[in-house]
Amino acid sequence: MCWSATADLWAGLGIAAVGVASLASVRRPGDAPLAALPLLLGAHQVVEAAVWHAGGGTGPATLAWAAIALPLLPLWVPLGVLTAARPADRPRLLAPLAAGLVTAAVLAYRLAVHPVAAEIRGHTLGYAVDLPFAPLVLAGYLLATVGALLLARDRLLRILGLVTGIGAVACALLWRTAFVSTWCALAAAASLLLFAWVRGRRTVAAAYGSEAGRP
């Protein structure tokens, strides 16, 4: 979320461009889900620009925004971390994936049976979703997203998890005051870290290929 429709649109286009560059740099198929995450985050920002233009409410743009933010992300992130990991490291990543599956199922059901509404509050957008046991759902969401990154063996992914966790707290505090929404800045930082991760994986793969090709 950004502080205006224009900011959301331009941030979304920039983040999506990072996603395209990340996908173009992928050498291993298992890295593709995480490499594509900036593309998803960019699309999310563009969708929110449409929510701003609609004045909030319960329209298709609001539902699309909620579908990405709520059921999709807690499933996408741990699955991406799992597919990118070495086989020996995957068992410890099953807990975040399980949390993501349960959380995504609960959130998808709530979106299916209860409308989600968006409301413009100064320089922020608020989204109202009826959630039972909200603290448990939030815990599952954080375990699936931030937790999966922190459990990864790759150092840059762990840094991404730390940045995401700290950044989410800071953005949430600013958002709750209705002062300004800075989630798009967090999405941009995460996207750049993911691009650096993909490029690093590409360099390692190329070096390994060169070593394997030597007589």
Side-chain angles (χ1 to χ4, degrees), residues 15-114:
I15 293 169
V18 174
V20 171
S22 296
L23 276 175
S25 301
V26 166
R27 286 290 187 90
R28 294 180 61 256
D31 294 345
L34 279 183
L37 184 55
L39 195 57
L40 179 65
L41 295 176
H44 199 218
Q45 301 296 146
V46 173
V47 167
E48 187 169 73
V51 178
W52 279 102
H53 280 298
T58 59
T62 299
L63 180 58
W65 185 95
I68 296 172
L70 301 180
L72 187 54
L73 280 178
L75 188 57
W76 190 298
V77 174
L79 186 61
V81 175
L82 184 72
T83 60
R86 297 182 302 179
D89 297 329
R90 289 174 182 170
R92 65 178 177 177
L93 297 171
L94 293 177
L97 180 59
L101 284 168
V102 173
T103 302
V106 171
L107 292 172
Y109 173 75
R110 299 307 293 184
L111 289 182
V113 299
H114 293 280

